[in-house]
Amino acid sequence: MSVTDPTAWATAMNNLGMVPVGLAGQQLVTDSICVPGFDPSLSMMTGITPINPMIPGMGLVPPPPPTDVPVVKEIIHCKSCTLFPPNPNLPPPSTRERPPGCKTVFVGGLPENATEEIIQEVFEQCGDITAIRKSKKNFCHIRFAEEFMVDKAIYLSGYRMRLGSSTDKKDSGRLHVDFAQARDDFYEWECKQRMLAREERHRRKMEEDRLRPPSPPAIMHYSEHEAALLAEKLKDDSKFSEAITVLLTWIERGEVNRRSANQFYSMVQSANSHVRRLMNEKAAHEQEMEQAKESFKNALTGILTQFEQIVAVFNASTRQKAWDHFSKAQRKNIDIWRKHSEELRNAHSEQLMGIRREEEMEMSDDDSGDNPSKKLRVDDSALAAQAYALKEENDSLRWQLDAYRNEVELLKQEKGQLFRTEESLTKDQQLQFLQQTMQGMQQQLLSIQEELNNKKSELEQAKEEQTHTQAMLKVLQEQLKSAKELAEINGHDESQANEINVLTVALVNHDREKNSEKRSPGLKSEKEALLIGIISTFLHVHPFGANIEYLWSYMQQLDSRISANEIEMLLMRLPRMFKQEFTGVGATLEKRWKFCAFEGIKTV
């Protein structure tokens, strides 16, 4: 019988009870299983994981048959050989674990007379073959172009292969197809995984860049033009936040120098002018909060009133006149509702009482400020405000003096570098004018300092008078109370009580006269006399005088609790014993104290 005669093969199949199939070019797996036009490189370009076309449920292969129904394989005819299927009742041939990226299969049980051309004829129907490595024994290794072709080759495992129509043992063999581990497959799989990892990292980086918040705007470098623009922005409320950030960055960078000090001071002064605006905004928000509190309290009062009405309804329902007409279940529900409403009413009532208690405490705090010594406190606050204003003026004048001093030094440096020309002469005139202005500012500063010290001494005297007056008032009140009690006990008439009141008024007037006498400058305690003696001795051995820091460091060794301000106030109270002199020029200007008591005795 000819191998290529289809009629003879059909007759043989009918005699064996099998369905006849085609001969040449027959596919081992139908086209419905294969993916038409499948591009396996799609996963490398798009990052999609390659899909195994043999996986059930993916729409590429038909669903697997039930496990209890054996798979019936058909006879496969080729030009040079015939493949007979295994017994369907036998278990399926075993395979090893599939290596990652496997494209190579092991084919064992080949006939001894099988050639490489016959093997390629059988297995090229599974897909494109890139290499066949045949051994001298009855096995070979076949490498396919794609991974899904290996699954088609595994389908042929268990088939019996017969070359032509020969019955010789060397022309037949049972095929065993299994996964093979090849270095080339594993290398390509690793390359693909690395490429996918790179794509994943790139995707994540793009996502992070998209979700990353924008960088803050760059701060421009300092220049006079930029400083002028920034000064205008600082005056604008809408651009103040942006401008204050730039100003802070410039100051932290160290852009402040002698030339730009005045410009930076004006910008800082502009920033300080926004404090009042912020305080006004805070006050407006506090007012809104108070209004919200008031509306909340009114709403809470209305809710509490409605709760009272509901509780009254429940109490009326529990009375005997209406209670007897309700059923047992209705009474139980009414009782539960009444208890729940009473609990809610009590909670809201406590909350409202707490709000009222807070308001009463705030009002009591406001009323406590109205005491007999309120007038004295007002006077003290006025003196303190005046002293603070003088201090502010003093500081501003000092800053202007420093600015003029810096300008004078810059002019001196420029004068040393340039020749004596008309410009240098004009600079000399400017220098003289600035020196005269600086001397006038120094004199004005000294006068303001003296006025500030006088105000401070007046403030301290006022505070001492206040404390003394309060103490005397308490003592007189106690004396008056005890005198009234004695008068009531002894049964004196009202004339004696009037005499007591007149006596207390006379004592108060006498005490006021004593306080007015104490206002004259003098020593207040033995400690001050001791300090004056030590300072006099120290300054006597220093004929050229000493500054207040040097004097204070010496006094610290004797008394660590004394302060430099206390020593300076004591020296200013005794102008005939100690005098203040200024030494040096420009940045070396220094204030020194000298002992002049011997000269003061001669003048007296």
Side-chain angles (χ1 to χ4, degrees):
M1 182 178 62
S2 174
V3 176
T4 59
D5 187 5
T7 307
W9 277 108
T11 303
M13 291 297 102
N14 288 328
N15 294 334
L16 293 173
M18 298 181 181
V19 179
V21 295
L23 292 176
Q26 180 184 4
Q27 291 187 356
L28 299 180
V29 183
T30 60
D31 290 336
S32 60
I33 298 177
C34 300
V35 182
F38 178 75
D39 187 5
S41 62
L42 184 63
S43 63
M44 301 176 66
M45 294 183 292
T46 60
I48 304 174
T49 306
I51 301 174
N52 189 349
M54 302 300 292
I55 297 177
M58 297 299 293
L60 304 179
V61 297
T67 54
D68 53 350
V69 179
V71 179
V72 178
K73 296 183 179 181
E74 301 176 351
I75 298 176
I76 300 172
H77 299 280
C78 300
K79 292 181 180 181
S80 303
C81 62
T82 306
L83 301 178
F84 296 95
N87 189 354
N89 295 325
L90 295 177
S94 60
T95 58
R96 60 181 296 178
E97 184 180 357
R98 181 168 186 160
C102 180
K103 296 181 181 179
T104 306
V105 293
F106 166 81
V107 182
L110 292 170
E112 293 183 6
N113 295 331
T115 60
E116 188 173 340
E117 290 77 9
I118 296 175
I119 297 171
Q120 185 167 2
E121 180 186 353
V122 173
F123 285 93
E124 70 180 357
Q125 302 181 44
C126 300
D128 295 336
I129 298 174
T130 58
I132 298 177
R133 296 187 296 272
K134 187 176 181 303
S135 176
K136 294 180 180 180
K137 298 184 179 181
N138 302 332
F139 69 90
C140 69
H141 288 85
I142 302 174
R143 189 166 190 267
F144 293 97
E146 300 296 337
E147 294 182 20
F148 68 91
M149 301 175 182
V150 174
D151 300 307
K152 297 181 179 181
I154 295 295
Y155 180 80
L156 298 178
S157 183
Y159 272 80
R160 179 173 293 280
M161 182 177 181
R162 178 179 294 176
L163 301 179
S165 59
S166 175
T167 57
D168 192 2
K169 188 178 288 186
K170 293 182 179 182
D171 294 335
S172 64
R174 184 175 295 276
L175 299 179
H176 174 70
V177 185
D178 199 355
F179 301 107
Q181 189 170 3
R183 288 192 298 269
D184 296 340
D185 299 344
F186 187 71
Y187 175 73
E188 290 182 2
W189 179 80
E190 281 186 336
C191 292
K192 186 184 294 184
Q193 294 300 317
R194 283 195 292 268
M195 184 181 65
L196 294 175
R198 285 195 299 270
E199 292 177 355
E200 180 67 18
R201 285 196 301 270
H202 179 69
R203 186 188 63 79
R204 290 182 180 177
K205 184 179 179 182
M206 295 293 290
E207 188 70 17
E208 290 176 359
D209 293 341
R210 187 178 66 83
L211 299 177
R212 184 182 295 115
S215 301
I219 304 298
M220 73 288 291
H221 290 283
Y222 171 78
S223 65
E224 293 184 357
H225 176 68
E226 294 293 340
L229 295 178
L230 186 64
E232 295 297 328
K233 289 182 179 179
L234 284 171
K235 297 177 183 178
D236 191 358
D237 296 345
S238 60
K239 301 178 181 179
F240 176 72
S241 300
E242 179 185 356
I244 199 69
T245 305
V246 177
L247 179 60
L248 177 61
T249 306
W250 283 355
I251 295 175
E252 289 178 350
R253 285 178 182 174
E255 301 288 350
V256 184
N257 51 31
R258 290 181 178 178
R259 287 185 178 275
S260 61
N262 293 334
Q263 203 163 11
F264 272 97
Y265 173 72
S266 64
M267 288 190 287
V268 171
Q269 194 173 10
S270 300
N272 184 45
S273 64
H274 287 269
V275 174
R276 184 177 297 176
R277 175 182 64 82
L278 296 176
M279 293 301 295
N280 293 335
E281 290 181 1
K282 180 186 175 185
H285 290 306
E286 287 178 350
Q287 187 176 2
E288 291 177 0
M289 185 177 66
E290 293 296 333
Q291 293 176 358
K293 283 184 179 179
E294 188 67 24
S295 62
F296 173 70
K297 186 178 72 173
N298 296 335
L300 195 61
T301 305
I303 292 171
L304 186 61
T305 303
Q306 295 179 13
F307 269 117
E308 293 287 349
Q309 294 173 355
I310 294 172
V311 172
V313 170
F314 285 129
N315 290 332
S317 300
T318 54
R319 291 174 186 170
Q320 190 72 24
K321 186 176 180 180
W323 189 253
D324 295 338
H325 299 286
F326 292 115
S327 63
K328 189 175 181 181
Q330 291 173 346
R331 291 176 184 177
K332 184 177 179 181
N333 290 333
I334 291 172
D335 194 19
I336 292 172
W337 295 339
R338 180 180 60 80
K339 289 180 181 179
H340 184 61
S341 299
E342 287 179 352
E343 290 177 358
L344 293 174
R345 181 201 58 185
N346 294 334
H348 284 77
S349 178
E350 289 178 359
Q351 188 176 2
L352 185 61
M353 291 300 294
I355 294 173
R356 289 177 179 174
R357 264 190 250 107
E358 290 179 358
E359 291 179 353
E360 290 176 358
M361 289 175 65
E362 291 177 357
M363 292 176 65
S364 63
D365 291 340
D366 296 337
D367 295 338
S368 64
D370 301 334
N371 50 15
S373 60
K374 186 175 181 180
K375 187 175 180 180
L376 293 174
R377 291 182 182 177
V378 170
D379 296 337
D380 293 345
S381 63
L383 289 172
Q386 191 175 1
Y388 180 76
L390 289 171
K391 187 177 179 182
E392 288 288 334
E393 187 178 358
N394 185 16
D395 292 339
S396 64
L397 290 173
R398 187 183 294 111
W399 292 332
Q400 291 179 9
L401 182 62
D402 293 338
Y404 284 129
R405 189 177 298 151
N406 293 333
E407 291 181 2
V408 168
E409 291 182 359
L410 289 172
L411 289 173
K412 284 182 179 179
Q413 292 176 3
E414 293 176 357
K415 180 182 177 181
Q417 294 175 0
L418 298 176
F419 295 102
R420 299 287 297 181
T421 58
E422 293 181 358
E423 294 181 359
S424 64
L425 292 175
T426 56
K427 287 182 179 178
D428 289 340
Q429 294 176 0
Q430 292 178 0
L431 181 61
Q432 292 177 1
F433 176 74
L434 289 173
Q435 286 178 351
Q436 293 175 1
T437 306
M438 187 175 65
Q439 290 176 0
M441 295 292 290
Q442 287 179 352
Q443 294 176 0
Q444 189 177 359
L445 180 62
L446 289 174
S447 62
I448 290 174
Q449 284 181 348
E450 291 178 359
E451 188 177 354
L452 178 62
N453 294 330
N454 294 332
K455 292 294 182 181
K456 286 182 178 178
S457 60
E458 290 178 4
L459 182 60
E460 290 180 356
Q461 289 176 5
K463 288 182 179 178
E464 291 176 0
E465 289 177 5
Q466 178 186 353
T467 55
H468 185 68
T469 304
Q470 289 179 354
M472 289 298 299
L473 184 61
K474 289 182 181 178
V475 171
L476 290 174
Q477 285 177 354
E478 292 177 358
Q479 291 178 359
L480 181 60
K481 186 176 179 181
S482 60
K484 286 183 179 180
E485 290 177 356
L486 289 174
E488 290 176 358
I489 292 170
N490 296 331
H492 293 290
D493 54 359
E494 295 180 355
S495 61
Q496 293 179 353
N498 293 330
E499 291 177 0
I500 292 170
N501 293 330
V502 171
L503 179 61
T504 55
V505 171
L507 288 172
V508 171
N509 294 329
H510 181 66
D511 184 68
R512 288 179 179 175
E513 292 176 359
K514 285 184 179 180
N515 291 334
S516 62
E517 292 176 358
K518 288 180 181 178
R519 289 181 183 177
S520 60
L523 300 180
K524 296 182 180 179
S525 62
E526 185 179 357
K527 180 182 177 182
E528 290 186 356
L530 183 60
L531 288 174
I532 290 171
I534 296 171
I535 293 170
S536 301
T537 307
F538 180 81
L539 292 177
H540 184 63
V541 299
H542 291 79
F544 296 104
N547 56 15
I548 195 68
E549 287 80 9
Y550 183 28
L551 185 58
W552 175 64
S553 63
Y554 175 74
M555 297 299 295
Q556 278 283 102
Q557 299 177 0
L558 302 177
D559 187 5
S560 60
R561 294 175 297 176
I562 194 168
S563 62
N565 190 19
E566 185 178 355
I567 296 172
E568 190 172 7
M569 292 295 294
L570 184 61
L571 294 175
M572 293 176 66
R573 283 171 52 191
L574 301 171
R576 294 185 179 180
M577 289 185 66
F578 307 101
K579 66 179 180 179
Q580 188 179 14
E581 292 183 356
F582 289 91
T583 61
V585 178
T588 61
L589 186 66
E590 187 178 9
K591 182 170 64 174
R592 291 177 177 270
W593 288 92
K594 289 185 178 182
F595 180 69
C596 61
F598 298 122
E599 299 175 2
I601 291 173
K602 294 177 182 180
T603 56
V604 171

